[in-house]
Amino acid sequence: MHLPTRPVISGFHPDPTICRVDGTYYMAHSSFEYAPGVPLYRSADLRTWEHIGHALDRPSQLSLTGAAASGGIFAPTLRHHDGLFWLITTNLTDGGGHLLVTAQDPAGPWSDPVRFPDAPGIDPDLAWDRDGTCYLTWSGFDDHGPMGLVQAEVDPTTGKVLSEPRQLWQGTGGKFPEGPHLYRIGDFWYQLIAEGGTERGHSITIARASSPAGPFEPCPWNPILTARGTDSPVQNAGHGDLVERPDGQWALVYHGVRTRGTSPEWHVLGRETFASRITWEDGWPQVGEPVEAAYPAIVNEELSGTILPPSWAAPGRFPDELLKPAENGWRLTPADSGEAVFVGRRQEHLYARIRAEVRVEDGEGGLELRIDPRHAVRLEVAGGQVRAVARIGSLESLLGETNIDGQTDLTLTLRIEPADGHIFSTELGPDKLVATVTGRDGTTEIGRVDGRYFSTEVAGGMTGRLIGLFCDRGDLIVRSFTYTGSDDPDALDRDG
């Protein structure tokens, strides 16, 4: 098995789910505590993807009030049936339970959700039999804890469960069997699942039956995909979805992480989406050649105009409620409750340069890289100073500071650069973060820090890094914001 080295969708895009209508593929992902929820992409070739919006893009669909880090929206399933797109997912923040939205076009608008209050759990999947029966398969919970993978017949238009939930095939013995997808292919029903946990033991396994209820026969060469115990640069591979291509061939999308640094290695971008071709042998899928991504060597995104790019998100709130167009720029203001706020976009490249021209008057705000609120690096402007601060769990470290002598207009820059150190040195992390400020006296470096402290291996959780703007009090005026990213650090140097 030869895994790809480049994701088809990079940065914090876990739990991919895919469907195809005619010659176009559509894909959706988990979004956890960030709004808008469930990013959606479109492609004609599985290699080049366009971000077309979100399935949960307004407060009437999505409540994340009080969402903890890695809470909120869990793994979705996207399907096309009877002329509609159907997307079902789980919101663990608003009381739990699955929610289902529909649309004629994945670019929207999507409906307000139908709820499934009698099917507690996560990772829901929908499949239809030829007679129209709809099956909900999910990783179930009850009062005693996890139930494993269960299934029931449901009415998707009302959320009513029509049959007693039944247990299905639970995998090959790996922990946390989850992420089920049910397909009818030829004469068989196939159940594809993730197991082994979403860390280094992650994998994809499959079984088949003559009925959607089973009994299921496992594939003789399970797991059909895993990176465990290998030297692949992509690890934690699992949680996939199958799709038939227009030529009758098949493909598999799944998530994985790009680890770097010395042992035990760290990943900072979250789980990213990869793809591989599928061949069939004796009625079983085999993972074949990688689908190689096609995207530019360097990407620039500027915050301009009066509408936020679809890449922008905020924890617990919709970003356009907080960051609003203002004269010659944007204005970021704390929430009505006075709570500090953050808005940003995913780090989608191994290396990046982020610049923000800001003005802070009688307040505190600036530029921030975070994997969660307790693991973040800030360039904060307040009280006549710019400070570089690293927050690592309950500890806070001042990396450096400089006086700005009454200046209010500054350029803050965070660079994500290759780490220093020898491969056998424990000091070699995944990258390093360098913070600078530019004012009327030129550019000053005020701090740098090992990027391992802002990795999933340190912070825990299921998301990846975001980079953006924060405001703790007062107003932050943003004249410009530019993200420049590349997997080639030399390309960033050439770009300046």
Side-chain angles (χ1 to χ4, degrees):
M1 185 186 307
H2 174 48
L3 295 180
T5 59
R6 300 179 68 185
V8 292
I9 300 183
S10 58
F12 177 29
H13 288 95
D15 307 326
T17 176
I18 191 170
C19 70
R20 178 182 61 83
V21 178
D22 299 325
T24 303
Y25 301 94
Y26 300 94
M27 190 149 56
H29 309 267
S30 300
S31 50
F32 296 97
E33 72 266 31
Y34 291 99
V38 189
L40 290 159
Y41 289 81
R42 175 172 59 204
S43 175
D45 59 7
L46 290 175
R47 300 173 66 242
T48 305
W49 292 85
E50 174 192 7
H51 191 179
I52 58 173
H54 296 79
L56 306 176
D57 64 0
R58 58 187 186 272
S60 64
Q61 299 171 302
L62 178 62
S63 172
L64 293 171
T65 302
S70 295
I73 295 295
F74 275 51
T77 293
L78 176 65
R79 294 292 181 256
H80 186 263
H81 172 75
D82 200 22
L84 281 178
F85 289 90
W86 306 72
L87 187 138
I88 189 167
T89 186
T90 311
N91 186 350
L92 288 185
T93 296
D94 67 348
H98 311 310
L99 57 89
L100 172 66
V101 292
T102 58
Q104 294 185 335
D105 184 339
W110 288 81
S111 69
D112 280 345
V114 172
R115 299 281 182 165
F116 290 74
D118 299 324
I122 60 171
D123 298 3
D125 172 81
L126 288 181
W128 285 264
D129 207 342
R130 290 170 180 165
D131 64 3
T133 301
C134 183
Y135 299 98
L136 174 68
T137 307
W138 74 101
S139 182
F141 298 162
D142 64 14
D143 293 340
H144 304 289
M147 298 170 57
L149 299 172
V150 293
Q151 181 188 91
E153 298 173 15
V154 297
D155 181 346
T157 64
T158 65
K160 185 177 181 180
V161 175
L162 303 177
S163 65
E164 189 69 23
R166 53 186 171 244
Q167 287 205 315
L168 297 183
W169 180 66
Q170 302 298 312
T172 62
K175 67 177 181 178
F176 304 141
E178 58 192 6
H181 290 306
L182 190 69
Y183 319 87
R184 181 159 191 163
I185 303 173
D187 295 329
F188 291 104
W189 287 88
Y190 289 84
Q191 184 189 352
L192 185 80
I193 72 168
E195 56 176 304
T198 195
E199 304 85 30
R200 295 296 194 269
H202 212 22
S203 66
I204 296 175
T205 56
I206 196 167
R208 70 186 183 190
S210 57
S211 161
F216 283 89
E217 168 198 5
C219 175
W221 51 78
N222 274 327
I224 65 168
L225 182 136
T226 189
R228 64 193 182 207
T230 74
D231 62 357
S232 171
V234 176
Q235 290 292 318
N236 303 24
H239 201 115
D241 200 3
L242 290 166
V243 65
E244 186 175 10
R245 296 158 54 189
D247 62 2
Q249 301 298 309
W250 287 74
L252 175 73
V253 295
Y254 49 94
H255 67 211
V257 304
R258 289 183 281 175
T259 57
R260 293 174 295 150
T262 193
S263 180
E265 303 182 328
W266 297 271
H267 74 279
V268 301
L269 303 183
R271 294 166 295 170
E272 306 176 278
T273 293
F274 297 83
S276 293
R277 295 175 176 84
I278 290 291
T279 59
W280 293 83
E281 182 177 333
D282 297 329
W284 294 107
Q286 283 193 327
V287 176
E289 289 298 309
V291 175
E292 293 296 340
Y295 45 80
I298 192 164
V299 169
N300 284 281
E301 180 185 272
E302 294 186 14
L303 187 60
S304 60
T306 59
I307 298 176
L308 284 175
S311 57
W312 281 66
R317 297 280 298 274
F318 284 83
D320 57 6
E321 297 175 329
L322 306 170
L323 184 62
K324 299 179 181 295
E327 184 178 358
N328 299 321
W330 297 76
R331 181 186 300 272
L332 180 62
T333 304
D336 294 339
S337 62
E339 179 185 0
V341 293
F342 169 87
V343 295
R345 51 108 68 217
R346 289 161 173 82
Q347 180 186 333
E348 295 176 314
H349 301 83
L350 299 179
Y351 310 105
R353 181 181 64 246
I354 305 92
R355 288 178 176 152
E357 295 181 39
V358 302
R359 171 185 286 258
V360 179
E361 295 178 339
D362 299 322
E364 182 176 340
L367 189 60
E368 178 174 305
L369 176 149
R370 63 156 60 184
I371 198 162
D372 67 30
R374 300 177 70 247
H375 298 83
V377 175
R378 282 183 162 190
L379 262 170
E380 55 185 38
V381 183
Q385 289 186 317
V386 179
R387 306 168 73 236
V389 177
R391 189 184 303 121
I392 306 167
S394 59
L395 304 177
E396 190 169 285
S397 176
L398 176 65
L399 305 177
E401 59 186 347
T402 186
N403 292 321
I404 52 177
D405 300 323
Q407 299 175 74
T408 56
D409 294 291
L410 302 164
T411 298
L412 309 178
T413 303
L414 273 174
R415 290 184 64 95
I416 303 165
E417 299 181 349
D420 299 320
H422 190 273
I423 186 61
F424 295 111
S425 167
T426 58
E427 296 179 0
L428 183 64
D431 53 21
K432 65 182 177 187
L433 312 179
V434 181
T436 65
V437 59
T438 303
R440 63 184 173 219
D441 297 325
T443 298
T444 302
E445 179 183 319
I446 57 173
R448 58 178 56 205
V449 65
D450 188 332
R452 76 181 70 189
Y453 302 114
F454 318 101
S455 69
T456 298
E457 283 72 18
V458 171
M462 291 175 281
T463 63
R465 285 180 183 169
L466 272 74
I467 309 168
L469 305 158
F470 77 93
C471 186
D472 286 352
R473 56 186 175 84
D475 289 338
L476 176 70
I477 304 300
V478 185
R479 301 300 189 199
S480 69
F481 180 99
T482 304
Y483 171 96
T484 304
S486 179
D487 289 343
D488 176 6
D490 294 334
L492 282 180
D493 290 338
R494 291 191 296 270
D495 186 70

